[in-house]
Amino acid sequence: MLELIELKEEELLENFSWHRYSEPRPNQRKAFGIVAKGPATLEIQTGGGKTEIGHAFLKTLEKKRLSSLIYLTITKAMANEIKTRYPEVKV
């Protein structure tokens, strides 16, 4: 049985890529609020900041001492892009 982890929107914002961007986009802020409420499927346009949302989500879970976190992509090119943006991520 899976245990739901409690997240707060503020935690997700703390783990946003502030070193890369000065401000989250409005749709990213909205997504953080949705994700904080529980399991969700997000549909966001190309270039809408999904990678940064996912990274903030995983960093938040990592700080809660969860292990074996996985970020799935549909292409190797996207996996390589994530590795370029976030070198600490193992691909």
Side-chain angles (χ1 to χ4, degrees):
M1 183 174 190
L2 293 176
E3 179 183 340
L4 292 179
I5 305 298
E6 185 176 326
L7 298 176
K8 295 182 178 138
E9 186 174 350
E10 295 80 22
E11 292 175 304
L12 294 162
L13 281 169
E14 285 173 16
N15 291 297
F16 178 72
S17 302
W18 296 103
H19 64 284
R20 294 181 57 89
Y21 305 98
S22 61
E23 193 69 30
R25 297 176 184 167
N27 63 324
Q28 289 170 318
R29 284 189 178 273
K30 184 176 179 182
F32 290 148
I34 292 168
V35 170
K37 292 178 184 172
T41 300
L42 301 173
E43 185 176 345
I44 301 172
Q45 76 279 7
T46 300
K50 296 179 292 295
T51 301
E52 284 68 33
I53 294 166
H55 185 260
F57 177 71
L58 289 178
K59 292 300 286 182
T60 302
L61 293 178
E62 182 180 58
K63 286 184 178 178
K64 291 182 176 286
R65 304 275 190 235
L66 294 171
S67 61
S68 299
L69 300 171
I70 300 171
Y71 190 127
L72 297 174
T73 67
I74 60 171
T75 66
K76 186 170 181 160
M78 181 47 127
N80 290 334
E81 176 65 25
I82 291 168
K83 182 67 176 170
T84 299
R85 287 188 203 180
Y86 304 104
E88 76 277 8
V89 174
K90 295 178 185 171
V91 175

